[in-house]
Amino acid sequence: MSRIIVAATPVSGHHAPLLQIARHLHGLGHEVVFLGGSRFAAQVEAAGPAFRALPAEADYDDRDLSARFPGRDEIPAGPGQVMWDVMHVFGDPIPAQLRALKEVLAGFPATVVLHDNLFLGGVALALGEEPGRRPAVLSVGISPLGVDSRDTAPHLLGLLPPTDDEQRARYAEMAAQMAERSKPLAAHLRGCFTAAGAVIKEGSLGWLRIQAADAFLQLTVAGFEYPRSDQPANIRFVGAIPIEPGAAQEPPAWWPELRRAREEGRRIVVVTQGTLANTTLNRLVVPTLRALADREDVFVVAATGRPDAAELIAGELPAVPANARVAGFVPFAELLPLTDLLVTNGGYGGTQAALAHGVPLVVGGDTEDKPEVAARVEWSGTGLNLRTGDPSVEALREAVDTVLSTPGYRERAAELAKEYAAHDALATIDGLVRETDPR
């Protein structure tokens, strides 16, 4: 068996899939050390791997990013805020992340380092030495491929791939403009890598982050990612990390009502704003509850990811509609097989989970890389892209009705579900680990 370091950015959406990978590898008998955010220590230790906390310079609580990163909230959602995040939330910790990796390696000579794609200290490790003089580095893509390509629109704009030469020319002009605007980002990241002792070649940092890894494991299927004729050979689509039954809390008290609604032929609609962009539930959750309040043919589950969900909803609605139930955390492994439609702000992991269960989507999100997720839903034919993070009640009502009444969306989601089922992401990752260390 191998010695493995699993390193995760201390953000829930990054931490969760890496922890599932670490738990799986540990369960197979590999020695695993998990390097991550201190607030996740008990979670990791309960899963089995040994835990090491990131140093203070790289450790923060993603539930309150504004406290650790003053000024972030002043930047409007969209490409500008994403660039700021890459500079400061993900870029500034690079030297501390690499130092932590080397400290763990000093006492635990791992043969493999496995990190999420925005744990850039892993990229610095890969760039610091030749492959034979360092552990194998496997990067896990927990977000849409964020790279420039002649076959796609510029990243972060949420635009579909070009369909003709005129559109390609327009996209190329837009890409040049974005490259000019992002020069401060590139200079900042290069400075962070240099401070960590990594030598950065000229060229696209987006591609560099991917090509630095010995293998880049994208947590999706080819049917949910744009084809690229210039795609690096080290990218592998490995499918989605499955949701573990029982990973969340026990089903809520109203669960029998949900099952009864399903048996009665009512459509189950789940709405969520994920685990990060959920501080203001009136962007998507509350409008969805309002949009469907008068529909007797649906049963709505608002999965907020917040322990104070009831209080937040009560502050926005005089009463929860009779056909809806509000929850902080629900067992999605049990919920998705019962679900007819997911209304979401476009979290990458949640979208993958829905499609792996053949659930079509309505997507309305504008933070982080969510417009890119929404665009892929549109492109793949698995749902509707609302193209806003603040959809109106009327737009939501119409979108939900369209997806529920149009068989093509569910049929396309079912096709993708078969593609997901043909992959076993955890087994593939274990196989790659064993290839790098055949002992």
Side-chain angles (χ1 to χ4, degrees):
M1 293 297 172
S2 300
R3 289 181 171 178
I4 306 162
I5 298 173
V6 176
T9 305
V11 174
S12 297
H14 298 235
H15 164 85
L18 272 293
L19 178 57
Q20 285 184 255
I21 292 169
R23 179 189 290 115
H24 180 75
L25 294 173
H26 171 80
L28 294 176
H30 297 290
E31 294 183 67
V32 182
V33 170
F34 192 99
L35 177 64
S38 56
R39 84 175 181 95
F40 299 113
Q43 227 182 73
V44 174
E45 290 166 350
F51 177 76
R52 300 289 185 276
L54 286 163
E57 308 97 296
D59 196 3
Y60 47 85
D61 190 332
D62 65 316
R63 295 169 296 186
D64 190 6
L65 290 176
S66 59
R68 176 62 182 267
F69 301 100
R72 181 179 186 270
D73 290 346
E74 299 170 12
I75 303 171
Q81 189 179 79
V82 174
M83 289 182 185
W84 194 97
D85 284 350
V86 174
M87 290 171 69
H88 302 294
V89 178
F90 302 110
D92 289 347
I94 291 173
Q97 289 176 346
L98 180 59
R99 185 176 73 249
L101 281 171
K102 289 183 175 181
E103 288 173 357
V104 175
L105 283 167
F108 181 76
T111 55
V112 178
V113 170
L114 204 151
H115 66 91
D116 74 80
N117 60 304
L118 282 169
F119 188 96
L120 301 182
V123 177
L125 178 69
L127 293 171
E129 294 187 34
E130 294 298 319
R133 302 179 61 186
R134 57 162 172 78
V137 176
L138 308 181
S139 183
V140 181
I142 54 88
S143 56
L145 278 176
V147 292
D148 296 327
S149 170
R150 57 177 172 264
D151 301 317
T152 65
H155 187 58
L156 298 178
L157 300 182
L159 298 174
L160 299 182
T163 57
D164 54 41
D165 290 341
E166 181 181 351
Q167 199 171 37
R168 287 186 182 88
R170 186 164 68 251
Y171 282 176
E173 183 178 345
M174 293 166 64
Q177 293 170 353
M178 287 187 69
E180 183 66 27
R181 289 197 297 270
S182 65
K183 281 184 176 180
L185 163 64
H188 186 89
L189 276 187
R190 289 181 183 279
C192 293
F193 278 115
T194 299
V199 179
I200 304 298
K201 299 177 182 178
E202 291 299 319
S204 167
L205 288 175
W207 282 122
L208 179 68
R209 289 191 298 108
I210 288 176
Q211 293 175 305
D214 297 299
F216 189 92
L217 314 178
Q218 187 66 29
L219 294 183
T220 192
V221 294
F224 193 68
E225 186 53 73
Y226 305 138
R228 295 171 173 84
S229 59
D230 49 1
Q231 181 170 295
N234 69 329
I235 294 178
R236 295 186 59 168
F237 297 109
V238 299
I241 300 291
I243 303 174
E244 294 187 342
Q249 66 178 35
E250 289 298 309
W254 46 260
W255 201 258
E257 299 176 55
L258 168 67
R259 290 192 173 278
R260 187 162 54 250
R262 179 74 173 180
E263 292 166 1
E264 292 170 351
R266 297 165 69 185
R267 303 292 190 91
I268 309 302
V269 177
V270 177
V271 56
T272 179
Q273 288 181 210
T275 57
L276 186 60
N278 62 0
T279 55
T280 307
L281 296 180
N282 60 8
R283 299 201 74 194
L284 190 62
V285 171
V286 171
T288 301
L289 291 174
R290 287 185 172 133
L292 304 178
D294 58 350
R295 290 192 57 161
E296 296 181 357
D297 62 325
V298 301
F299 186 95
V300 184
V301 176
T304 67
R306 297 183 60 90
D308 57 352
E311 292 86 348
L312 288 178
I313 295 294
E316 300 291 341
L317 291 173
V320 174
N323 67 343
R325 300 295 178 269
V326 175
F329 301 93
V330 292
F332 267 82
E334 288 76 23
L335 179 60
L336 285 175
L338 304 173
T339 301
D340 293 288
L341 171 66
L342 177 66
V343 180
T344 173
N345 63 346
Y348 194 65
T351 299
Q352 304 297 311
L355 292 174
H357 285 83
V359 178
L361 307 108
V362 169
V363 188
D366 59 6
T367 58
E368 297 90 39
D369 52 17
K370 290 176 175 60
E372 288 293 327
V373 177
R376 283 159 174 78
V377 168
E378 179 182 355
W379 171 81
S380 63
T382 56
L384 286 180
N385 176 7
L386 297 175
R387 295 188 176 84
T388 177
D390 295 290
S392 68
V393 169
E394 292 74 19
L396 282 162
R397 185 182 295 119
E398 181 179 351
V400 168
D401 185 62
T402 298
V403 175
L404 288 179
S405 63
T406 307
Y409 292 112
R410 177 163 285 277
E411 291 168 1
R412 181 64 186 129
E415 291 174 5
L416 270 192
K418 292 179 181 178
E419 191 174 350
Y420 282 97
H423 290 76
D424 187 333
L426 295 174
T428 299
I429 292 170
D430 174 54
L432 286 169
V433 166
R434 292 173 190 271
E435 285 177 19
T436 62
D437 183 13
R439 293 178 301 173

